[in-house]
Amino acid sequence: MDLYFAGTLNDECRDYMEKVGANKLFSYINDRTQIEDLIERKKRGTYKGKLLVDSGAFSAFTKGKQVNLDEYIAWINKVSPWVDYFIALDIIPGEGVDNVAVAEGGYKNYVYMLQNVNCPEKIWPVHHASDPDEYLYRILSTEIQPGVLVPYICLGGLVGTNASILPFLQSMEHKISKSCNPDVKVHALGVTSIPTLSSVSFTSCDSAAWIFSASTGNIMTPWGSLLVSDKATADPQHILNLPEHRRKIYEEYISSMGFNLESLMTRYQDRMNINIKYLMDTFSSMTHKKVRFRKKVSEGAIKQVEPQECVVPAVPLQVTIEKPVRPAVNIQTECVVETVDKDSI
């Protein structure tokens, strides 16, 4: 599974990502300078990872602003040769918001982008957990050019809904498999739970956990988060305060990753970099496995869906539709990371 690292970078992390070939997710609104820097590295052939750009609409929404879709499109057309993918401008779902209006507005924006970008195959539409299924099938049925169905979609609106993430994702996997576009690639926005994603056959996801973990003095390990910062040595969960046998296991793990405890204690950059390596190693070796759930949890989560024909007319690129919808939108970039009980080691 492809993992895209979300969030801004310091110079050391950018150099480390270049070295290991990490994929990067940047915000059109917040990270333009860093996008341009990465593009220059891709032009030189030094950065081998993929570059995914979202609209930055959630940030704009939190600041009471809006993303200008025409400007976003113009910028896409300028940089498209060096950016691998772009996330379409979707409408923010939320409490008290008409879910049909959200889905309809997001779909119109996507169609408008298809008609005006020079790389329609690189635009990822978004289907939210709250969107009616009708709009999932409309997206899957859309032709980006005659005879070519949408190649990649995002599933969004998942952050903060831990209890229902897996049933929703499995339901989407089932419905997509029965649709007219069963081979479409799927990206889970803001989901990096390893047990969850190993239970569905999706193509990619994104994570900001590597930043959050490092900034709070922790590193990510196969046994969960580990507190290592020298500013928190009084904490009982700090590595220095663990029983000797557990501390030794962690120290051996840190060494095997090419880092040392002293630098991880004092440098957040090194904590970020070991988190990058941990996530890359984990997701590159992830295998898909089916998980059986208790009937009480899963009953009704995946309804039987008959195969769906492509009944929604393809969108001719030359047709002019009404101006794009510009309400506030939401691109989820947070993540949910499940951990293993440390007492098991």
Side-chain angles (χ1 to χ4, degrees), residues 251-311:
E251 289 175 346
E252 289 176 349
Y253 164 77
I254 290 169
S255 177
S256 73
M257 296 287 279
F259 295 82
N260 63 78
L261 179 58
E262 290 73 23
S263 68
L264 294 176
M265 290 178 65
T266 58
R267 289 174 49 79
Y268 72 91
Q269 297 95 330
D270 286 345
R271 294 196 293 270
M272 287 182 176
N273 287 344
I274 195 174
N275 288 344
I276 291 169
K277 180 169 175 52
Y278 165 76
L279 287 172
M280 287 193 66
D281 290 349
T282 301
F283 278 85
S284 65
S285 61
M286 179 180 291
T287 57
H288 171 68
K289 58 183 178 181
K290 291 291 185 180
V291 176
R292 292 183 61 86
F293 290 89
R294 292 171 298 174
K295 184 175 181 181
K296 183 176 180 180
V297 174
S298 61
E299 185 174 12
I302 302 178
K303 299 179 181 179
Q304 292 299 317
V305 179
E306 295 300 323
Q308 297 290 315
E309 297 183 1
C310 294
V311 295

Short mmCIF file of all heavy atoms in Angstrom, two decimals, residues 251-311:
data_model
loop_
_atom_site.label_atom_id
_atom_site.label_comp_id
_atom_site.label_asym_id
_atom_site.label_seq_id
_atom_site.Cartn_x
_atom_site.Cartn_y
_atom_site.Cartn_z
N GLU A 251 15.84 -0.45 22.69
CA GLU A 251 17.15 0.04 22.26
C GLU A 251 17.67 -0.77 21.08
O GLU A 251 18.28 -0.21 20.15
CB GLU A 251 18.13 -0.01 23.43
CG GLU A 251 17.84 1.04 24.50
CD GLU A 251 18.75 0.91 25.71
OE1 GLU A 251 19.42 -0.14 25.83
OE2 GLU A 251 18.79 1.86 26.53
N GLU A 252 17.43 -2.07 21.09
CA GLU A 252 17.85 -2.91 19.96
C GLU A 252 17.06 -2.55 18.71
O GLU A 252 17.61 -2.52 17.59
CB GLU A 252 17.66 -4.38 20.31
CG GLU A 252 18.64 -4.90 21.34
CD GLU A 252 18.37 -6.32 21.74
OE1 GLU A 252 17.30 -6.86 21.36
OE2 GLU A 252 19.22 -6.92 22.43
N TYR A 253 15.77 -2.24 18.88
CA TYR A 253 14.94 -1.82 17.74
C TYR A 253 15.48 -0.51 17.17
O TYR A 253 15.64 -0.37 15.94
CB TYR A 253 13.49 -1.65 18.18
CG TYR A 253 12.65 -0.86 17.20
CD1 TYR A 253 12.18 -1.45 16.03
CD2 TYR A 253 12.33 0.48 17.44
CE1 TYR A 253 11.43 -0.73 15.12
CE2 TYR A 253 11.57 1.20 16.55
CZ TYR A 253 11.13 0.60 15.38
OH TYR A 253 10.39 1.32 14.48
N ILE A 254 15.75 0.46 18.01
CA ILE A 254 16.26 1.76 17.56
C ILE A 254 17.56 1.60 16.78
O ILE A 254 17.75 2.18 15.72
CB ILE A 254 16.45 2.70 18.78
CG1 ILE A 254 15.08 3.11 19.35
CG2 ILE A 254 17.26 3.94 18.39
CD1 ILE A 254 15.17 3.81 20.70
N SER A 255 18.44 0.77 17.29
CA SER A 255 19.71 0.53 16.61
C SER A 255 19.50 -0.14 15.26
O SER A 255 20.16 0.21 14.27
CB SER A 255 20.61 -0.34 17.49
OG SER A 255 21.82 -0.64 16.83
N SER A 256 18.56 -1.08 15.18
CA SER A 256 18.29 -1.78 13.93
C SER A 256 17.73 -0.85 12.86
O SER A 256 17.85 -1.12 11.66
CB SER A 256 17.31 -2.93 14.16
OG SER A 256 15.99 -2.44 14.40
N MET A 257 17.15 0.27 13.29
CA MET A 257 16.59 1.24 12.35
C MET A 257 17.64 2.26 11.90
O MET A 257 17.35 3.14 11.08
CB MET A 257 15.41 1.97 13.00
CG MET A 257 14.23 1.06 13.33
SD MET A 257 13.32 0.54 11.86
CE MET A 257 12.30 2.00 11.60
N GLY A 258 18.85 2.18 12.45
CA GLY A 258 19.92 3.08 12.06
C GLY A 258 19.97 4.37 12.85
O GLY A 258 20.57 5.36 12.39
N PHE A 259 19.38 4.39 14.05
CA PHE A 259 19.36 5.58 14.91
C PHE A 259 19.94 5.23 16.26
O PHE A 259 20.19 4.08 16.59
CB PHE A 259 17.93 6.12 15.05
CG PHE A 259 17.33 6.62 13.77
CD1 PHE A 259 16.75 5.75 12.85
CD2 PHE A 259 17.35 7.98 13.46
CE1 PHE A 259 16.21 6.22 11.66
CE2 PHE A 259 16.81 8.45 12.28
CZ PHE A 259 16.24 7.57 11.38
N ASN A 260 20.16 6.26 17.10
CA ASN A 260 20.62 6.01 18.46
C ASN A 260 19.74 6.78 19.44
O ASN A 260 19.16 7.82 19.11
CB ASN A 260 22.09 6.40 18.64
CG ASN A 260 22.35 7.87 18.43
OD1 ASN A 260 22.07 8.70 19.31
ND2 ASN A 260 22.86 8.24 17.26
N LEU A 261 19.63 6.24 20.64
CA LEU A 261 18.72 6.80 21.63
C LEU A 261 19.06 8.23 21.99
O LEU A 261 18.17 9.07 22.17
CB LEU A 261 18.71 5.92 22.88
CG LEU A 261 17.81 6.39 24.03
CD1 LEU A 261 16.36 6.52 23.56
CD2 LEU A 261 17.92 5.41 25.21
N GLU A 262 20.35 8.54 22.11
CA GLU A 262 20.76 9.88 22.53
C GLU A 262 20.23 10.95 21.57
O GLU A 262 19.71 11.99 22.01
CB GLU A 262 22.29 9.95 22.62
CG GLU A 262 22.90 9.15 23.75
CD GLU A 262 22.86 7.65 23.51
OE1 GLU A 262 22.77 7.24 22.33
OE2 GLU A 262 22.90 6.88 24.51
N SER A 263 20.35 10.71 20.28
CA SER A 263 19.88 11.71 19.32
C SER A 263 18.36 11.79 19.31
O SER A 263 17.78 12.87 19.14
CB SER A 263 20.40 11.39 17.92
OG SER A 263 19.82 10.20 17.40
N LEU A 264 17.68 10.66 19.51
CA LEU A 264 16.21 10.67 19.54
C LEU A 264 15.70 11.44 20.76
O LEU A 264 14.64 12.06 20.71
CB LEU A 264 15.68 9.25 19.56
CG LEU A 264 15.93 8.41 18.30
CD1 LEU A 264 15.43 6.99 18.51
CD2 LEU A 264 15.26 9.03 17.08
N MET A 265 16.45 11.40 21.85
CA MET A 265 16.04 12.11 23.05
C MET A 265 16.13 13.62 22.88
O MET A 265 15.32 14.36 23.45
CB MET A 265 16.90 11.66 24.24
CG MET A 265 16.63 10.24 24.70
SD MET A 265 17.70 9.71 26.07
CE MET A 265 17.16 10.84 27.36
N THR A 266 17.07 14.08 22.08
CA THR A 266 17.33 15.53 21.99
C THR A 266 16.88 16.17 20.69
O THR A 266 16.74 17.40 20.63
CB THR A 266 18.83 15.81 22.18
OG1 THR A 266 19.57 15.09 21.17
CG2 THR A 266 19.29 15.36 23.55
N ARG A 267 16.63 15.38 19.64
CA ARG A 267 16.35 15.97 18.32
C ARG A 267 15.01 15.47 17.78
O ARG A 267 14.86 14.28 17.47
CB ARG A 267 17.47 15.61 17.34
CG ARG A 267 18.79 16.34 17.63
CD ARG A 267 19.89 15.83 16.70
NE ARG A 267 19.47 15.81 15.31
CZ ARG A 267 19.42 16.89 14.52
NH1 ARG A 267 19.74 18.08 14.97
NH2 ARG A 267 19.04 16.77 13.27
N TYR A 268 14.06 16.40 17.63
CA TYR A 268 12.76 16.00 17.08
C TYR A 268 12.90 15.62 15.61
O TYR A 268 12.12 14.82 15.08
CB TYR A 268 11.74 17.14 17.23
CG TYR A 268 11.96 18.33 16.33
CD1 TYR A 268 11.36 18.39 15.08
CD2 TYR A 268 12.78 19.39 16.71
CE1 TYR A 268 11.57 19.47 14.24
CE2 TYR A 268 12.99 20.47 15.89
CZ TYR A 268 12.38 20.51 14.64
OH TYR A 268 12.60 21.58 13.81
N GLN A 269 13.92 16.18 14.92
CA GLN A 269 14.13 15.81 13.52
C GLN A 269 14.44 14.32 13.38
O GLN A 269 13.93 13.64 12.47
CB GLN A 269 15.26 16.62 12.90
CG GLN A 269 15.01 18.12 12.84
CD GLN A 269 15.60 18.85 14.03
OE1 GLN A 269 15.71 18.29 15.12
NE2 GLN A 269 15.97 20.10 13.82
N ASP A 270 15.26 13.80 14.30
CA ASP A 270 15.58 12.37 14.25
C ASP A 270 14.37 11.53 14.63
O ASP A 270 14.17 10.43 14.09
CB ASP A 270 16.75 12.06 15.18
CG ASP A 270 18.08 12.54 14.62
OD1 ASP A 270 18.13 12.85 13.41
OD2 ASP A 270 19.07 12.61 15.38
N ARG A 271 13.55 12.05 15.55
CA ARG A 271 12.32 11.32 15.89
C ARG A 271 11.38 11.27 14.67
O ARG A 271 10.76 10.24 14.40
CB ARG A 271 11.62 11.98 17.08
CG ARG A 271 12.41 11.89 18.38
CD ARG A 271 11.56 12.19 19.59
NE ARG A 271 11.10 13.57 19.67
CZ ARG A 271 11.75 14.55 20.27
NH1 ARG A 271 12.92 14.31 20.85
NH2 ARG A 271 11.24 15.77 20.32
N MET A 272 11.28 12.36 13.92
CA MET A 272 10.48 12.36 12.70
C MET A 272 11.01 11.35 11.70
O MET A 272 10.26 10.58 11.08
CB MET A 272 10.45 13.76 12.08
CG MET A 272 9.61 14.77 12.82
SD MET A 272 9.60 16.37 11.96
CE MET A 272 8.45 17.28 12.99
N ASN A 273 12.34 11.32 11.55
CA ASN A 273 12.93 10.46 10.53
C ASN A 273 12.77 8.97 10.86
O ASN A 273 12.52 8.16 9.97
CB ASN A 273 14.41 10.80 10.34
CG ASN A 273 14.60 12.11 9.60
OD1 ASN A 273 13.68 12.63 8.98
ND2 ASN A 273 15.80 12.67 9.67
N ILE A 274 12.91 8.61 12.14
CA ILE A 274 12.70 7.20 12.47
C ILE A 274 11.24 6.82 12.29
O ILE A 274 10.92 5.69 11.90
CB ILE A 274 13.20 6.86 13.90
CG1 ILE A 274 13.31 5.34 14.06
CG2 ILE A 274 12.28 7.46 14.96
CD1 ILE A 274 13.93 4.91 15.39
N ASN A 275 10.32 7.78 12.53
CA ASN A 275 8.91 7.51 12.28
C ASN A 275 8.64 7.32 10.80
O ASN A 275 7.81 6.48 10.40
CB ASN A 275 8.06 8.66 12.82
CG ASN A 275 8.00 8.68 14.34
OD1 ASN A 275 8.34 7.70 14.99
ND2 ASN A 275 7.58 9.81 14.90
N ILE A 276 9.31 8.11 9.96
CA ILE A 276 9.17 7.95 8.51
C ILE A 276 9.60 6.55 8.10
O ILE A 276 8.90 5.85 7.36
CB ILE A 276 10.02 9.01 7.77
CG1 ILE A 276 9.42 10.40 7.97
CG2 ILE A 276 10.11 8.68 6.27
CD1 ILE A 276 10.34 11.53 7.51
N LYS A 277 10.75 6.12 8.59
CA LYS A 277 11.25 4.79 8.23
C LYS A 277 10.32 3.69 8.74
O LYS A 277 10.04 2.71 8.03
CB LYS A 277 12.66 4.58 8.77
CG LYS A 277 13.24 3.21 8.43
CD LYS A 277 14.71 3.12 8.72
CE LYS A 277 15.25 1.69 8.49
NZ LYS A 277 14.88 1.15 7.14
N TYR A 278 9.84 3.85 9.98
CA TYR A 278 8.92 2.84 10.53
C TYR A 278 7.68 2.70 9.66
O TYR A 278 7.28 1.58 9.30
CB TYR A 278 8.52 3.21 11.96
CG TYR A 278 7.32 2.42 12.46
CD1 TYR A 278 7.44 1.10 12.84
CD2 TYR A 278 6.06 3.02 12.50
CE1 TYR A 278 6.34 0.37 13.26
CE2 TYR A 278 4.96 2.30 12.93
CZ TYR A 278 5.10 0.98 13.30
OH TYR A 278 4.01 0.26 13.70
N LEU A 279 7.07 3.82 9.29
CA LEU A 279 5.83 3.76 8.51
C LEU A 279 6.10 3.23 7.11
O LEU A 279 5.31 2.46 6.57
CB LEU A 279 5.19 5.14 8.45
CG LEU A 279 4.52 5.61 9.76
CD1 LEU A 279 4.08 7.06 9.64
CD2 LEU A 279 3.33 4.73 10.11
N MET A 280 7.20 3.66 6.49
CA MET A 280 7.51 3.16 5.15
C MET A 280 7.73 1.65 5.17
O MET A 280 7.21 0.92 4.31
CB MET A 280 8.74 3.86 4.59
CG MET A 280 8.49 5.29 4.16
SD MET A 280 9.85 5.97 3.18
CE MET A 280 9.76 4.95 1.69
N ASP A 281 8.48 1.16 6.14
CA ASP A 281 8.71 -0.28 6.24
C ASP A 281 7.41 -1.03 6.47
O ASP A 281 7.18 -2.10 5.89
CB ASP A 281 9.69 -0.58 7.39
CG ASP A 281 11.11 -0.12 7.09
OD1 ASP A 281 11.40 0.25 5.93
OD2 ASP A 281 11.93 -0.11 8.04
N THR A 282 6.56 -0.48 7.32
CA THR A 282 5.31 -1.15 7.66
C THR A 282 4.36 -1.22 6.48
O THR A 282 3.80 -2.29 6.17
CB THR A 282 4.63 -0.43 8.84
OG1 THR A 282 5.51 -0.43 9.97
CG2 THR A 282 3.32 -1.13 9.22
N PHE A 283 4.17 -0.09 5.80
CA PHE A 283 3.19 -0.07 4.72
C PHE A 283 3.70 -0.75 3.45
O PHE A 283 2.91 -1.29 2.68
CB PHE A 283 2.75 1.37 4.44
CG PHE A 283 1.69 1.84 5.38
CD1 PHE A 283 2.03 2.38 6.61
CD2 PHE A 283 0.35 1.73 5.06
CE1 PHE A 283 1.05 2.80 7.50
CE2 PHE A 283 -0.64 2.14 5.94
CZ PHE A 283 -0.28 2.68 7.17
N SER A 284 5.01 -0.74 3.24
CA SER A 284 5.54 -1.42 2.06
C SER A 284 5.40 -2.93 2.15
O SER A 284 5.33 -3.63 1.14
CB SER A 284 7.01 -1.05 1.84
OG SER A 284 7.81 -1.53 2.91
N SER A 285 5.33 -3.44 3.38
CA SER A 285 5.22 -4.89 3.58
C SER A 285 3.81 -5.31 4.00
O SER A 285 3.59 -6.49 4.32
CB SER A 285 6.22 -5.35 4.65
OG SER A 285 5.96 -4.72 5.90
N MET A 286 2.87 -4.38 3.99
CA MET A 286 1.51 -4.70 4.44
C MET A 286 0.83 -5.68 3.51
O MET A 286 0.91 -5.57 2.29
CB MET A 286 0.68 -3.42 4.54
CG MET A 286 -0.76 -3.67 4.99
SD MET A 286 -1.73 -2.15 5.12
CE MET A 286 -0.95 -1.38 6.53
N THR A 287 0.20 -6.67 4.08
CA THR A 287 -0.57 -7.64 3.30
C THR A 287 -2.03 -7.53 3.68
O THR A 287 -2.38 -7.23 4.82
CB THR A 287 -0.07 -9.07 3.56
OG1 THR A 287 -0.16 -9.36 4.97
CG2 THR A 287 1.36 -9.24 3.08
N HIS A 288 -2.88 -7.79 2.70
CA HIS A 288 -4.32 -7.70 2.93
C HIS A 288 -4.82 -8.98 3.57
O HIS A 288 -4.47 -10.07 3.18
CB HIS A 288 -5.04 -7.48 1.60
CG HIS A 288 -6.52 -7.59 1.68
ND1 HIS A 288 -7.29 -6.68 2.36
CD2 HIS A 288 -7.38 -8.51 1.18
CE1 HIS A 288 -8.56 -7.02 2.26
NE2 HIS A 288 -8.65 -8.13 1.56
N LYS A 289 -5.66 -8.83 4.58
CA LYS A 289 -6.26 -9.99 5.22
C LYS A 289 -7.69 -9.67 5.60
O LYS A 289 -8.01 -8.58 6.04
CB LYS A 289 -5.46 -10.40 6.45
CG LYS A 289 -5.34 -9.31 7.52
CD LYS A 289 -4.48 -9.76 8.67
CE LYS A 289 -4.33 -8.63 9.70
NZ LYS A 289 -3.47 -9.03 10.83
N LYS A 290 -8.54 -10.65 5.39
CA LYS A 290 -9.94 -10.50 5.78
C LYS A 290 -10.08 -10.71 7.28
O LYS A 290 -9.45 -11.59 7.85
CB LYS A 290 -10.82 -11.49 5.02
CG LYS A 290 -10.95 -11.20 3.53
CD LYS A 290 -11.75 -9.93 3.29
CE LYS A 290 -11.99 -9.71 1.80
NZ LYS A 290 -12.76 -8.48 1.55
N VAL A 291 -10.90 -9.88 7.90
CA VAL A 291 -11.12 -10.00 9.34
C VAL A 291 -12.59 -10.26 9.60
O VAL A 291 -13.45 -9.56 9.06
CB VAL A 291 -10.68 -8.71 10.07
CG1 VAL A 291 -10.99 -8.82 11.55
CG2 VAL A 291 -9.20 -8.47 9.86
N ARG A 292 -12.88 -11.25 10.40
CA ARG A 292 -14.26 -11.54 10.75
C ARG A 292 -14.62 -10.74 11.99
O ARG A 292 -13.87 -10.70 12.97
CB ARG A 292 -14.45 -13.03 11.03
CG ARG A 292 -14.30 -13.91 9.79
CD ARG A 292 -14.58 -15.36 10.14
NE ARG A 292 -15.93 -15.54 10.64
CZ ARG A 292 -16.99 -15.73 9.86
NH1 ARG A 292 -16.84 -15.73 8.54
NH2 ARG A 292 -18.19 -15.91 10.38
N PHE A 293 -15.80 -10.09 11.96
CA PHE A 293 -16.25 -9.29 13.08
C PHE A 293 -17.43 -9.97 13.76
O PHE A 293 -18.18 -10.73 13.14
CB PHE A 293 -16.68 -7.89 12.61
CG PHE A 293 -15.53 -7.06 12.16
CD1 PHE A 293 -15.10 -7.11 10.85
CD2 PHE A 293 -14.85 -6.25 13.06
CE1 PHE A 293 -14.02 -6.36 10.44
CE2 PHE A 293 -13.78 -5.50 12.66
CZ PHE A 293 -13.36 -5.55 11.34
N ARG A 294 -17.57 -9.68 15.01
CA ARG A 294 -18.75 -10.18 15.71
C ARG A 294 -20.00 -9.69 15.01
O ARG A 294 -20.06 -8.56 14.56
CB ARG A 294 -18.74 -9.70 17.16
CG ARG A 294 -17.62 -10.31 18.00
CD ARG A 294 -17.53 -9.62 19.34
NE ARG A 294 -17.21 -8.20 19.19
CZ ARG A 294 -17.19 -7.36 20.19
NH1 ARG A 294 -17.51 -7.75 21.40
NH2 ARG A 294 -16.89 -6.09 19.97
N LYS A 295 -21.02 -10.51 14.98
CA LYS A 295 -22.23 -10.18 14.26
C LYS A 295 -22.81 -8.86 14.74
O LYS A 295 -23.31 -8.05 13.97
CB LYS A 295 -23.26 -11.30 14.41
CG LYS A 295 -24.52 -11.08 13.60
CD LYS A 295 -25.43 -12.28 13.72
CE LYS A 295 -26.69 -12.07 12.89
NZ LYS A 295 -27.62 -13.22 13.01
N LYS A 296 -22.73 -8.61 16.05
CA LYS A 296 -23.30 -7.38 16.61
C LYS A 296 -22.65 -6.15 16.01
O LYS A 296 -23.29 -5.12 15.83
CB LYS A 296 -23.12 -7.38 18.12
CG LYS A 296 -23.74 -6.18 18.82
CD LYS A 296 -23.59 -6.29 20.32
CE LYS A 296 -24.22 -5.09 21.02
NZ LYS A 296 -24.08 -5.18 22.49
N VAL A 297 -21.36 -6.24 15.69
CA VAL A 297 -20.63 -5.09 15.15
C VAL A 297 -20.88 -4.94 13.67
O VAL A 297 -21.11 -3.85 13.16
CB VAL A 297 -19.13 -5.24 15.43
CG1 VAL A 297 -18.35 -4.11 14.75
CG2 VAL A 297 -18.87 -5.22 16.92
N SER A 298 -20.82 -6.07 12.96
CA SER A 298 -20.80 -5.97 11.50
C SER A 298 -22.17 -6.11 10.86
O SER A 298 -22.32 -5.84 9.68
CB SER A 298 -19.88 -7.05 10.94
OG SER A 298 -20.37 -8.34 11.29
N GLU A 299 -23.18 -6.55 11.61
CA GLU A 299 -24.48 -6.79 11.02
C GLU A 299 -25.02 -5.52 10.38
O GLU A 299 -25.12 -4.47 11.01
CB GLU A 299 -25.46 -7.29 12.08
CG GLU A 299 -26.81 -7.68 11.49
CD GLU A 299 -27.71 -8.31 12.55
OE1 GLU A 299 -27.36 -8.21 13.74
OE2 GLU A 299 -28.72 -8.88 12.18
N GLY A 300 -25.33 -5.59 9.12
CA GLY A 300 -25.87 -4.44 8.42
C GLY A 300 -24.83 -3.49 7.89
O GLY A 300 -25.14 -2.57 7.15
N ALA A 301 -23.57 -3.68 8.26
CA ALA A 301 -22.53 -2.75 7.80
C ALA A 301 -22.29 -2.91 6.32
O ALA A 301 -22.01 -1.94 5.61
CB ALA A 301 -21.23 -2.99 8.57
N ILE A 302 -22.37 -4.16 5.84
CA ILE A 302 -22.17 -4.42 4.41
C ILE A 302 -23.45 -5.05 3.87
O ILE A 302 -23.71 -6.22 4.08
CB ILE A 302 -20.97 -5.35 4.17
CG1 ILE A 302 -19.71 -4.75 4.77
CG2 ILE A 302 -20.80 -5.62 2.69
CD1 ILE A 302 -18.50 -5.63 4.62
N LYS A 303 -24.24 -4.26 3.20
CA LYS A 303 -25.47 -4.75 2.63
C LYS A 303 -25.18 -5.40 1.28
O LYS A 303 -24.23 -5.04 0.59
CB LYS A 303 -26.46 -3.61 2.45
CG LYS A 303 -26.85 -2.93 3.77
CD LYS A 303 -27.81 -1.80 3.50
CE LYS A 303 -28.18 -1.11 4.82
NZ LYS A 303 -29.10 0.03 4.60
N GLN A 304 -26.00 -6.34 0.91
CA GLN A 304 -25.83 -6.95 -0.40
C GLN A 304 -26.14 -5.92 -1.48
O GLN A 304 -27.19 -5.28 -1.49
CB GLN A 304 -26.77 -8.15 -0.54
CG GLN A 304 -26.39 -9.31 0.36
CD GLN A 304 -25.01 -9.83 0.04
OE1 GLN A 304 -24.65 -9.99 -1.13
NE2 GLN A 304 -24.22 -10.08 1.06
N VAL A 305 -25.20 -5.76 -2.38
CA VAL A 305 -25.35 -4.77 -3.44
C VAL A 305 -25.28 -5.47 -4.77
O VAL A 305 -24.32 -6.19 -5.05
CB VAL A 305 -24.22 -3.71 -3.37
CG1 VAL A 305 -24.38 -2.69 -4.49
CG2 VAL A 305 -24.24 -3.01 -2.01
N GLU A 306 -26.31 -5.29 -5.57
CA GLU A 306 -26.30 -5.87 -6.89
C GLU A 306 -25.31 -5.12 -7.78
O GLU A 306 -25.06 -3.94 -7.58
CB GLU A 306 -27.71 -5.79 -7.50
CG GLU A 306 -28.74 -6.63 -6.75
CD GLU A 306 -28.38 -8.10 -6.73
OE1 GLU A 306 -27.85 -8.59 -7.75
OE2 GLU A 306 -28.62 -8.75 -5.70
N PRO A 307 -24.73 -5.82 -8.76
CA PRO A 307 -23.81 -5.13 -9.68
C PRO A 307 -24.46 -3.89 -10.27
O PRO A 307 -25.61 -3.91 -10.71
CB PRO A 307 -23.53 -6.20 -10.75
CG PRO A 307 -23.74 -7.50 -10.03
CD PRO A 307 -24.87 -7.23 -9.07
N GLN A 308 -23.72 -2.79 -10.27
CA GLN A 308 -24.24 -1.51 -10.74
C GLN A 308 -23.77 -1.23 -12.17
O GLN A 308 -22.58 -1.26 -12.46
CB GLN A 308 -23.76 -0.38 -9.83
CG GLN A 308 -24.27 -0.50 -8.40
CD GLN A 308 -25.75 -0.25 -8.29
OE1 GLN A 308 -26.27 0.69 -8.87
NE2 GLN A 308 -26.43 -1.10 -7.55
N GLU A 309 -24.71 -0.97 -13.04
CA GLU A 309 -24.34 -0.58 -14.40
C GLU A 309 -23.97 0.89 -14.42
O GLU A 309 -24.34 1.66 -13.55
CB GLU A 309 -25.51 -0.82 -15.36
CG GLU A 309 -25.88 -2.30 -15.47
CD GLU A 309 -26.99 -2.52 -16.48
OE1 GLU A 309 -27.43 -1.51 -17.07
OE2 GLU A 309 -27.40 -3.67 -16.66
N CYS A 310 -23.23 1.30 -15.44
CA CYS A 310 -22.84 2.71 -15.57
C CYS A 310 -24.01 3.48 -16.17
O CYS A 310 -24.01 3.79 -17.37
CB CYS A 310 -21.59 2.85 -16.44
SG CYS A 310 -20.15 2.12 -15.68
N VAL A 311 -25.00 3.76 -15.35
CA VAL A 311 -26.20 4.41 -15.84
C VAL A 311 -26.09 5.92 -15.86
O VAL A 311 -26.90 6.60 -16.47
CB VAL A 311 -27.42 4.01 -14.98
CG1 VAL A 311 -27.70 2.52 -15.12
CG2 VAL A 311 -27.17 4.35 -13.52
#
